[in-house]
């Protein structure tokens, strides 16, 4: 759990409140401080004040997204104006709450944010492992994968690639093995996660 | 006059005494604008010369007429006096002309009497010298025309015109007579004869000529009827008395000296009532009657010899004339002073009555009212009859009785009162704000105030209204500005509230879980208290800004002022992404001012500066606020931005009301700011920076001077 607010009193009080719920809290008095010291790998959400000198809360949100260190953010603000909140939410903020707020409002937002962060991290981890596995495929195996998830028959694939059906069967078996899929359905799901586009239908003519 | 011993051939000259007899006034020279020494004769000069010649000739003939029979001695010799009067009526530069004109008349009159040429010329010299000496002395010593209306002027005339001039010229005259061998008698005898004869002529003729020339005819024309009647009675009485005494008495040959005083009452009457004009005329009238009687062997002055008779008549007339002329002059002088006084009193009274300001005369001893004017009546609602005789305390004129005492003390201390501001109450009980001025004057021997009141209620009311309006506008612009800042101000309040709430709820959670360290709890409570105070301060400050209060001057530290305003604007500045740099001077003298109003001005300048800087351009994100002492004992606050600066064509209009460059602006901010600073005796102006942006400066005087 990270908290960024330029007002020391608010920062201290928020830290205290979150600690009372047994959250581990790291407090930062400015976005620069946060950028320098925080560990992007540590899970947890960010409670961020909108109105900050030099680098505003929204700017920090953009910087994090740009650097791939995106994490779930709960914005807090003393002047909740609608355009700012819309911009924050569009950029993926979990919540945008106006000071002063009750603990329940904050905790609910934080719970949602933590959940989102966890999900984000899980998705990211899964994508990483798939990508790692994908990287082990040869280019021919990749070509076969793309055609398999597109639903082409071995025969068609062989014709397409200018080889025999038997060879395709061998490639296909290796792909299934490397990607850790036990069924065609699972392979399709993994490929989808990895963002692999099914090859265009060439049909017999191809 | 002369009279030589044988007067008949006297030196007769006639001269002009001219003037006004013929109604032609030679007049007094000094007003005569003629050219100096001009030889070109104006018509006026020619007329004067002719008149002098005729008068001189006739005067000589009259001199011959007043000669005692059978002894040929003239008692009255007019030509010299006529010449003197003519000289006194003309400018000195024309005198030569008059003397020239008298010369042929002199020749004509004298030569008819068979006087040798040398003697004729000698007499002209002595006669002319007499007139010249008298005229010159009088011209030098008397300022303005001789009018016989001042004691001093008459004295000068008597000493120089009727005594010194005849005396000196008589020495010359007698010497010439002896030298030429024409006359009889000793030198001193001749001197005496000629002297008295000329003294009498000067006394009798010159005053009458000069006074009538100056005022006579005009005086008669404008005199009221009763003055004619009085003058008529007087002259009738004088004529009767004089004729009875001086022309008939010879019959019984027993002169009764007491009767010589018979004309005196009439002469005194003339001196007291008719002034120099009437007196001189009366004297002439009496002299003619006396001389006529004596010349014709009648009256009380008939002694053994002709010479003695002449001397008696001369002495009598001289002795009577001198004091009467002086008396008339003194009376006239006093009359003039009194008239001047009366005129001045009349003017004062009229000024008092008609004054556009209420005025009153009040006795100092008991403050009782002696007189009031019309405006006073209408101001206070009391009529003059109601007010006079009562005291200001009875009328409850002073709304605060203490003011009356202050007023008296002021008057006693400095002898007058000026610009005394006081509330006065009229009869219906309305209170008027007034400014009073008073002088201490003596009225009938009593020390009084003459006071002038100016009712300034209207003026004060207008001033109050203007002040009130100014206050309203100042307040409105302040509230409008705070409205613009409301988001930022809410933020300032939300911060401590957030901290308080979070702290309190953290404590609650700890308590619920039953694991709270008392030390931790104490810290939490301490933070809550501190943040509560902080919120309280924000509210307090905002309330001061929102409140519409009276202007209150107090000692202020400019740096403190800057800090407070920046705290208010804090989140607004952050939102606008503007970085503020303060450059406070460490040792600033205190200024005297109204905290809220000065905060308003600073806040206004800061908001303007922010609006001049676009949030998107990082080059424009700097705001500097500097305080410093100025050379002339002031404190300067400068708000320096890096925005677009002041456009050249708006530099002058910037501080005008309703001038604005903002779409939503009222255009009052800077105009109000400037009037606030002016009320602090300071200055507010804006300049463009050399590189970019603008700077607005406030200079406020250091505390010593005090506020307006």
């Amino acid at each position: 759990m990270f908290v960024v607010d330029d007002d020391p009193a608010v920062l201290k009080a928020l830290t205290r409140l979150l600690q009372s719920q047994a959250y581990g809290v790291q407090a930062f008095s400015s976005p620069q401080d946060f950028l320098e010291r925080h560990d992007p790998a540590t899970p947890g959400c960010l409670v961020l004040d909108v109105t900050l000198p030099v680098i505003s809360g929204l700017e920090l949100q953009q910087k994090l997204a740009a650097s791939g260190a995106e994490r779930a953010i709960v914005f807090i603000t003393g002047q909740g104006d609608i355009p700012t909140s819309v911009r924050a939410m569009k950029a993926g903020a979990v919540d945008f709450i106006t000071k002063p707020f009750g603990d329940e409002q904050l905790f609910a937002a934080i719970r949602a944010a933590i959940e989102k962060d966890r999900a984000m991290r899980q998705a990211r981890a899964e994508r990483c492992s798939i990508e790692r596995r994908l990287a082990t495929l040869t280019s021919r195996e990749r070509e076969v994968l793309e055609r398999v998830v597109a639903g082409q028959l071995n025969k068609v694939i062989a014709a397409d690639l200018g080889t025999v059906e038997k060879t395709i069967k061998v490639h296909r078996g290796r792909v299934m093995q490397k990607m850790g899929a036990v069924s065609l359905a699972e392979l399709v799901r993994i490929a989808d996660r990895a963002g692999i586009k099914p090859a265009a239908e060439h049909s017999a003519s191809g | 006059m002369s009279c030589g011993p044988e007067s008949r051939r006297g030196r007769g000259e006639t001269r002009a005494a001219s003037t006004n007899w013929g109604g032609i006034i030679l007049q007094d020279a000094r007003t005569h604008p003629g050219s100096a020494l001009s030889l070109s004769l104006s018509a006026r000069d020619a007329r004067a010369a002719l008149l002098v010649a005729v008068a001189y000739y006739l005067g000589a003939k009259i001199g011959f007429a007043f000669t005692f029979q059978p002894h040929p001695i003239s008692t009255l010799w007019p030509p010299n006096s006529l010449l003197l009067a003519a000289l006194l009526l003309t400018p000195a530069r024309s005198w030569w002309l008059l003397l020239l004109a008298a010369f042929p008349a002199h020749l004509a009159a004298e030569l008819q009497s068979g006087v040798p040429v040398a003697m004729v010329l000698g007499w002209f010299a002595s006669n002319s010298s007499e007139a010249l000496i008298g005229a010159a002395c009088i011209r030098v010593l008397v300022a303005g025309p001789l009018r016989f209306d001042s004691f001093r002027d008459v004295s000068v005339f008597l000493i120089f015109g009727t005594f010194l001039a005849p005396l000196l010229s008589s020495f010359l005259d007698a010497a010439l007579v002896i030298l030429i061998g024409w006359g009889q008698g000793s030198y001193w005898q001749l001197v005496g004869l000629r002297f008295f004869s000329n003294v009498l002529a000067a006394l009798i003729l010159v005053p009458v000529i000069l006074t009538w020339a100056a005022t006579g005819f005009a005086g008669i024309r404008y005199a009221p009827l009763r003055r004619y009647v009085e003058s008529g009675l007087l002259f009738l009485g004088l004529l009767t008395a004089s004729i009875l005494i001086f022309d008939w008495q010879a019959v019984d040959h027993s002169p009764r000296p007491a009767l010589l005083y018979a004309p005196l009452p009439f002469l005194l009457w003339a001196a007291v009532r008719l002034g120099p004009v009437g007196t001189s005329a009366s004297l002439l009238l009496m002299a003619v009657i006396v001389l006529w009687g004596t010349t014709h062997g009648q009256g009380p002055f008939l002694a053994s010899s002709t010479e003695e008779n002449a001397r008696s008549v001369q002495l009598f007339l001289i002795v009577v004339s001198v004091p009467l002329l002086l008396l008339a002059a003194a009376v006239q002088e006093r009359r003039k002073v009194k008239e001047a006084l009366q005129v001045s009193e009349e003017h004062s009274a009229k000024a008092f009555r008609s004054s556009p300001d209420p005025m009153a005369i009040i006795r100092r001893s008991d403050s009782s009212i002696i007189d009031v004017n019309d405006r006073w009546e209408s101001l206070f609602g009391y009529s003059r009859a109601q007010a006079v005789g009562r005291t200001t305390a009875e009328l409850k004129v002073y709304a605060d009785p203490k003011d009356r005492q202050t007023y008296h003390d002021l008057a006693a201390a400095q002898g007058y009162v000026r610009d005394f501001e006081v509330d006065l109450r009229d009869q219906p009980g309305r209170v008027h704000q007034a400014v009073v001025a008073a002088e201490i004057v003596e009225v009938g021997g009593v020390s009084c105030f003459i006071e002038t009141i100016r009712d300034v209620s209207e003026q004060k009311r207008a001033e109050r209204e203007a002040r009130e309006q100014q206050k309203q506008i100042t307040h409105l612009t302040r509230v409008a500005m705070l409205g613009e800042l409301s988001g930022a101000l809410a933020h300032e309040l939300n911060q401590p509230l957030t901290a308080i709430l979070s702290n309190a709820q953290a404590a609650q959670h700890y308590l619920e879980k039953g694991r709270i360290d008392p030390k931790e709890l104490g810290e939490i409570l301490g933070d809550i208290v501190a943040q509560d105070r902080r919120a309280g301060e924000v509210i307090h400050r905002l309330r001061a800004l929102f409140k519409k209060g009276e202007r209150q001057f107090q000692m202020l530290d400019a740096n403190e002022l800057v800090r407070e305003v920046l705290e208010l604007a804090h989140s607004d500045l952050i939102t606008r992404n503007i970085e503020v740099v303060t450059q406070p001077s460490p040792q600033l003298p205190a200024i005297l001012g109204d905290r809220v109003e000065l905060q308003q001005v600073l806040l206004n300048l800061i908001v303007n500066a922010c609006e001049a800087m676009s949030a998107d351009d990082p080059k424009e994100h700097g705001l500097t606020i500097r305080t410093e002492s100025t050379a002339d004992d002031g404190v300067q606050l400068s708000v320096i931005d890096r925005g677009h600066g002041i456009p050249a064509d708006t530099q002058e209009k910037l501080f005008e009301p309703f001038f604005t460059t903002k779409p939503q602006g009222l255009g009052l901010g800077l105009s109000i700011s400037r009037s606030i600073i002016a009320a602090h005796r300071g200055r507010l102006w804006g300049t463009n920076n050399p590189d970019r942006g603008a700077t607005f400066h406030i200079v406020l005087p250091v505390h010593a001077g005090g506020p307006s």
Side-chain angles (χ1 to χ4, degrees):
Chain A
M1 174 87 41
F2 304 90
V3 181
V4 179
D5 198 311
D6 65 326
D7 188 317
V10 173
L11 187 59
K12 192 173 167 193
L14 283 178
T15 307
R16 199 176 264 148
L17 181 60
L18 293 171
Q19 279 169 345
S20 76
Q21 295 300 299
Y23 290 114
V25 180
Q26 280 187 61
F28 303 89
S29 63
S30 71
Q32 298 93 314
D33 190 23
F34 176 77
L35 284 172
E36 278 170 24
R37 283 172 41 212
H38 95 293
D39 175 11
T42 312
C45 71
L46 172 61
V47 177
L48 179 57
D49 189 18
V50 177
T51 315
L52 294 168
V54 190
I55 300 176
S56 74
L58 293 186
E59 281 168 350
L60 180 61
Q61 182 187 29
Q62 285 160 13
K63 276 182 197 292
L64 291 176
S67 69
E70 194 178 10
R71 65 172 69 235
I73 297 176
V74 174
F75 278 108
I76 53 176
T77 178
Q79 342 170 227
D81 63 298
I82 291 169
T84 312
S85 61
V86 169
R87 274 169 66 199
M89 298 304 284
K90 271 190 171 171
V94 176
D95 210 342
F96 190 96
I97 51 184
T98 307
K99 294 177 188 173
F101 41 76
D103 54 356
E104 277 315 315
Q105 198 183 356
L106 178 66
F107 294 154
I110 281 176
R111 277 193 297 273
I114 288 172
E115 178 53 37
K116 183 177 179 188
D117 190 69
R118 198 193 53 73
M120 270 164 57
R121 274 171 202 289
Q122 195 184 345
R124 200 153 55 211
E126 196 178 344
R127 201 163 56 239
C128 281
S129 99
I130 293 169
E131 274 167 10
R132 244 189 337 269
R133 277 176 273 166
L134 268 180
T136 62
L137 298 183
T138 65
S139 59
R140 175 60 63 158
E141 285 163 358
R142 174 122 192 176
E143 282 172 347
V144 171
L145 172 63
E146 287 169 5
R147 285 172 171 75
V148 168
V149 297
Q152 291 181 12
L153 298 174
N154 291 348
K155 187 170 64 177
V156 177
I157 298 168
D160 234 9
L161 297 178
T163 182
V164 295
E165 194 178 349
K166 196 167 175 183
T167 311
I168 297 301
K169 271 186 180 169
V170 173
H171 283 312
R172 187 168 170 165
R174 285 211 190 111
V175 168
M176 295 285 278
Q177 185 195 350
K178 282 183 178 172
M179 297 306 291
V182 290
S183 65
L184 178 63
E186 192 176 6
L187 184 67
V188 170
R189 193 180 54 80
I190 290 171
D192 184 46
R193 287 262 170 87
I196 288 172
K197 303 266 180 329
E201 189 81 47
H202 284 270
S203 84
S205 68
Chain B
M1 61 190 58
S2 97
C3 58
E6 346 2 85
S7 59
R8 213 179 253 125
R9 28 316 218 305
R11 338 27 200 283
E13 348 154 348
T14 5
R15 174 285 189 128
S18 89
T19 84
N20 27 5
W21 279 16
I24 297 172
I25 297 182
L26 284 186
Q27 176 143 21
D28 128 60
R30 276 159 243 202
T31 59
H32 204 262
S35 52
L37 294 177
S38 65
L39 293 178
S40 61
L41 296 183
S42 67
R44 175 189 281 252
D45 286 338
R47 211 162 49 202
L50 184 64
L51 201 57
V52 165
V54 171
Y56 193 100
Y57 182 78
L58 291 177
K61 290 296 179 193
I62 289 167
F64 296 142
F66 282 119
T67 302
F68 290 112
Q69 298 299 342
H71 204 71
I73 296 176
S74 176
T75 315
L76 180 74
W77 184 247
N80 302 355
S81 297
L82 296 175
L83 193 54
L84 172 61
L87 293 183
L88 286 175
L89 287 166
T90 47
R93 61 183 161 74
S94 302
W95 286 0
W96 63 273
L97 180 65
L98 301 188
L99 294 175
L100 202 65
F103 186 61
H106 178 80
L107 288 183
E110 296 282 335
L111 290 178
Q112 280 174 1
S113 311
V115 179
V117 175
M119 195 65 250
V120 169
L121 294 176
W123 273 332
F124 186 71
S126 66
N127 288 353
S128 303
S129 72
E130 179 184 339
L132 277 172
I133 290 169
C137 291
I138 291 167
R139 185 59 53 84
V140 167
L141 292 170
V142 174
L146 180 61
R147 284 192 173 138
F148 293 88
D149 56 0
S150 101
F151 194 85
R152 181 185 172 276
D153 291 357
V154 171
S155 303
V156 168
F157 167 74
L158 291 176
I159 293 167
F160 295 95
T162 68
F163 176 74
L164 194 65
L167 187 64
L168 294 179
S169 60
S170 294
F171 291 146
L172 175 66
D173 194 285
L176 289 171
V177 170
I178 297 292
L179 196 68
I180 294 166
W182 174 256
Q184 306 165 352
S186 72
Y187 177 78
W188 291 111
Q189 215 178 354
L190 289 173
V191 168
L193 281 169
R194 186 181 178 282
F195 174 68
F196 283 108
S197 172
N198 279 284
V199 167
L200 182 59
L203 276 174
I204 298 301
L205 294 176
V206 177
V208 96
I209 292 166
L210 292 186
T211 54
W212 282 76
T215 57
F217 293 99
I220 286 170
R221 194 175 309 149
Y222 298 114
L225 181 62
R226 55 184 169 74
R227 179 53 62 111
Y228 279 107
V229 174
E230 181 180 358
S231 307
L233 286 175
L234 190 151
F235 281 101
L236 205 62
L238 181 63
L239 195 66
T240 312
S242 300
I243 290 175
L244 284 177
I245 304 302
F246 300 115
D247 293 351
W248 281 0
Q249 270 226 339
V251 180
D252 67 359
H253 285 278
S254 55
R256 275 165 263 169
L259 284 175
L260 290 178
Y261 295 109
L264 202 58
F266 296 102
L267 293 173
L268 287 172
W269 181 1
V272 171
R273 297 279 304 163
L274 298 185
V277 178
T279 307
S280 57
S282 303
L283 285 172
L284 177 65
L285 177 68
M286 191 183 77
V288 169
I289 293 168
V290 170
L291 288 170
W292 190 89
T294 311
T295 311
H296 291 81
Q298 288 174 335
F301 302 107
L302 296 175
S304 51
S305 77
T306 312
E307 280 171 28
E308 270 179 46
N309 288 350
R311 182 63 51 82
S312 302
V313 168
Q314 286 166 341
L315 283 176
F316 172 74
L317 290 175
I318 289 168
V319 166
V320 169
S321 300
V322 169
L324 278 170
L325 283 175
L326 286 171
L327 176 65
V331 168
Q332 185 73 2
E333 203 165 31
R334 170 165 290 198
R335 187 181 294 137
K336 276 164 86 180
V337 169
K338 204 171 146 195
E339 273 172 9
L341 200 65
Q342 260 175 355
V343 165
S344 136
E345 274 173 9
E346 254 170 56
H347 286 176
S348 303
K350 280 183 179 160
F352 180 79
R353 290 265 168 264
S354 64
S355 164
D357 287 323
M359 291 181 78
I361 299 174
I362 292 170
R363 189 152 57 206
R364 282 180 76 192
S365 57
D366 60 355
S367 291
S368 64
I369 295 168
I370 291 177
D371 199 3
V372 297
N373 69 356
D374 301 351
R375 287 300 177 101
W376 193 96
E377 290 181 301
S378 50
L379 173 65
F380 285 98
Y382 296 104
S383 70
R384 183 171 292 118
Q386 287 172 314
V388 169
R390 303 178 69 185
T391 67
T392 53
E394 280 169 1
L395 297 180
K396 295 190 169 54
V397 163
Y398 292 94
D400 180 354
K402 283 203 287 290
D403 284 338
R404 193 184 78 91
Q405 194 52 49
T406 315
Y407 175 75
H408 279 253
D409 292 347
L410 273 176
Q414 50 193 21
Y416 58 85
V417 177
R418 293 279 181 280
D419 299 331
F420 182 63
E421 293 199 18
V422 64
D423 288 348
L424 300 175
R425 189 170 15 221
D426 63 13
Q427 193 202 11
R430 279 193 306 266
V431 170
H432 301 261
Q433 289 177 296
V435 176
V436 178
E439 286 289 336
I440 294 177
V441 293
E442 294 274 314
V443 177
V446 179
S447 182
C448 294
F449 291 124
I450 178 159
E451 65 176 35
T452 307
I453 299 164
R454 179 153 293 173
D455 185 354
V456 292
S457 304
E458 271 304 299
Q459 190 187 331
K460 292 273 178 192
R461 196 183 55 75
E463 281 172 14
R464 256 199 319 276
E465 269 178 18
R467 259 203 314 276
E468 186 59 34
Q469 271 175 3
Q470 178 77 24
K471 206 170 85 183
Q472 299 267 21
I473 292 171
T474 304
H475 179 248
L476 276 178
T477 51
R478 190 162 69 227
V479 169
M481 188 173 61
L482 292 172
E484 281 175 38
L485 290 173
S486 62
L489 298 174
H491 187 257
E492 291 311 307
L493 210 48
N494 282 333
Q495 293 294 87
L497 291 180
T498 305
I500 290 168
L501 191 52
S502 297
N503 275 317
Q505 289 181 328
Q508 278 178 335
H509 293 308
Y510 283 130
L511 286 172
E512 279 162 16
K513 288 172 185 160
R515 49 173 182 83
I516 177 111
D517 172 9
K519 189 175 159 237
E520 170 85 8
L521 187 62
E523 272 178 27
I524 290 174
L525 290 175
D527 284 354
I528 289 175
V529 169
Q531 292 307 304
D532 197 283
R533 289 221 172 98
R534 175 182 165 194
E537 267 173 37
V538 172
I539 289 172
H540 182 74
R541 202 169 297 151
L542 283 179
R543 199 170 52 191
L545 283 169
F546 275 113
K547 213 171 88 182
K548 184 165 53 181
E550 288 301 321
R551 183 173 284 156
Q552 283 181 332
F553 284 97
Q554 51 181 310
M555 305 255 286
L556 297 173
D557 173 10
N559 291 332
E560 171 81 7
L561 214 56
V562 170
R563 199 181 55 70
E564 287 167 351
V565 171
L566 284 179
E567 271 176 27
L568 276 177
H570 174 246
S571 58
D572 190 54
L573 290 165
I574 289 174
T575 309
R576 292 176 188 274
N577 205 5
I578 287 167
E579 202 172 345
V580 181
V581 177
T582 51
Q583 298 176 341
S585 167
Q587 279 166 338
L588 275 185
I591 50 177
L592 197 62
D594 181 278
R595 182 184 294 274
V596 169
E597 288 191 350
L598 291 181
Q599 281 180 347
Q600 173 176 357
V601 173
L602 261 182
L603 204 52
N604 181 236
L605 295 183
I606 290 171
V607 168
N608 284 351
C610 290
E611 282 170 359
M613 296 187 284
S614 135
D616 300 328
D617 186 347
K619 287 199 298 290
E620 299 192 347
H621 288 185
L623 177 65
T624 304
I625 300 182
R626 181 186 301 153
T627 60
E628 59 203 312
S629 302
T630 64
D632 55 346
D633 255 4
V635 169
Q636 176 166 319
L637 295 98
S638 307
V639 177
I640 307 155
D641 69 44
R642 305 198 47 78
H644 49 63
I646 308 166
D649 56 329
T650 62
Q651 194 120 24
E652 286 307 306
K653 295 188 232 156
L654 220 48
F655 292 94
E656 286 174 13
F658 306 113
F659 175 81
T660 183
T661 54
K662 305 175 206 162
Q664 259 98 42
L666 261 183
L668 286 174
L670 279 179
S671 140
I672 293 293
S673 292
R674 180 168 267 187
S675 64
I676 288 174
I677 296 300
H680 284 73
R681 290 189 178 169
R683 290 182 301 130
L684 167 61
W685 74 101
T687 53
N688 277 321
N689 301 332
D691 46 354
R692 66 179 302 139
T695 300
F696 281 81
H697 305 274
I698 302 169
V699 170
L700 291 166
V702 165
H703 162 238
S708 61

